[in-house]
Amino acid sequence: MSPAVPSFELLPGAGTSPVILHVPHAARAVPPEVRAGIVLDDRALERELDHIVDAHTAELAERAAGLARVAPWRFVNRLSRLVVDPERFPDEREEMLAVGMGAVYTRTTHREVLRDAGTDPGPLVERYFAPYARAMTEAVADRLAAAGRAVIVDVHSYPTRPLPYELHGQGPRPAICLGTDAFHTPGPLLAAAREAFGAWGDVGLDSPFSGTYVPLEYYGSDARVRALMVEIRRDTYMTEPGGPAGPDLERLAESLAALVDAAGALPGAPRP
């Protein structure tokens, strides 16, 4: 039985663009057969979605793509991360397993029960996580073939105040947090992001969230794949939790478009 909402969507950009705007956590949709395994009642589930969803980030990426001089590609998750979280490791490498939030969550943002502890994540990983990972790998391979490089810009948001699930919530919470990887985030890409979001005044690094998303086939081995995570504090553009976007969403889109253009213009890396 297929989900009523497609699991993900690759939206084409310019053929020469190396940039992929990756939007993994913007959706609220949960297929009925997945909903059946979630123990929250409907009201509690909607509350949890308000907290866990990176609201309006798909719209932000769409606006930025329209403003960029060279349109980026967009890879957008159309299902909630409560189905599977495509950015987690699907095995014991994932540190968020400590709070029940691996590839398949068993706990909520407030560390309450989301699924029964004995839930087997295998079927959800096979049905949703694995196809997503394959498709993202193929999208990166396509950009490498077409442009000689790929730049993944992860588009996220995070709450103004720490939620109980956060493992590193005690650090700074800037308006813009840039998540980096020692191998996949070269200095020029980071500098371009700092400049693009400089008007926000408060741009931090790897706090409260760190790291980047790179398909495992390329992770730590192919320098032609660059990656950067952009985490936007939600009070800069929306009413929390889960409320409407404000006028600053357009300003953020302009900043993200500036990053897209700068990242797309950076010179390529040598083949491994």
Side-chain angles (χ1 to χ4, degrees):
M1 179 177 176
S2 299
V5 179
S7 294
F8 50 81
E9 187 173 10
L10 178 63
L11 298 156
T16 57
S17 174
V19 180
I20 301 171
L21 292 179
H22 182 218
V23 187
H25 294 160
R28 297 177 70 96
V30 179
E33 62 272 23
V34 180
R35 172 68 181 94
I38 293 174
V39 303
L40 303 179
D41 63 28
D42 288 347
R43 183 175 178 183
L45 176 57
E46 289 303 308
R47 245 189 344 261
E48 177 62 11
L49 289 168
D50 286 343
H51 288 293
I52 199 69
V53 170
D54 293 350
H56 315 295
T57 52
E59 180 184 355
L60 172 62
E62 181 179 9
R63 291 191 187 192
L67 292 168
R69 292 192 299 272
V70 178
W73 295 61
R74 286 177 288 140
F75 195 103
V76 183
N77 188 4
R78 296 304 186 188
L79 296 180
S80 167
R81 63 197 288 192
L82 297 184
V83 179
V84 294
D85 190 331
E87 294 210 311
R88 303 289 200 238
F89 286 113
D91 52 36
E92 297 303 316
R93 289 172 291 177
E94 180 53 59
E95 70 167 352
M96 294 301 292
L97 284 171
V99 289
M101 299 180 84
V104 176
Y105 296 176
T106 57
R107 293 279 172 167
T108 71
T109 50
H110 290 77
R111 302 202 182 196
E112 297 168 351
V113 176
L114 179 75
R115 290 182 173 92
D116 292 334
T119 298
D120 177 9
L124 290 176
V125 168
E126 181 179 355
R127 183 171 180 182
Y128 296 103
F129 184 99
Y132 190 107
R134 285 195 298 270
M136 188 64 181
T137 300
E138 290 167 3
V140 170
D142 186 65
R143 291 302 86 214
L144 289 174
R149 63 198 189 282
V151 185
I152 303 167
V153 178
D154 244 2
V155 185
H156 291 265
S157 71
Y158 73 96
T160 304
R161 296 183 179 180
L163 289 169
Y165 83 95
E166 295 182 28
L167 293 178
H168 310 289
Q170 70 277 10
R173 302 180 82 82
I176 306 294
C177 164
L178 301 176
T180 67
D181 177 85
F183 185 85
H184 291 283
T185 311
L189 177 57
L190 182 57
R194 288 189 183 278
E195 182 174 352
F197 289 98
W200 295 89
D202 187 14
V203 180
L205 195 65
D206 291 320
S207 176
F209 298 98
S210 63
T212 64
Y213 176 82
V214 175
L216 290 177
E217 181 171 328
Y218 302 104
Y219 184 68
S221 62
D222 194 335
R224 296 175 301 157
V225 180
R226 289 87 175 271
L228 179 77
M229 179 169 67
V230 178
E231 288 270 5
I232 303 160
R233 202 179 63 218
R234 291 175 187 159
D235 65 343
T236 63
Y237 74 94
M238 64 173 284
T239 302
E240 297 179 83
D248 280 337
L249 189 70
E250 188 64 27
R251 285 184 57 219
L252 282 168
E254 292 169 0
S255 296
L256 184 56
L259 171 58
V260 166
D261 286 329
L266 293 175
R271 291 183 178 273

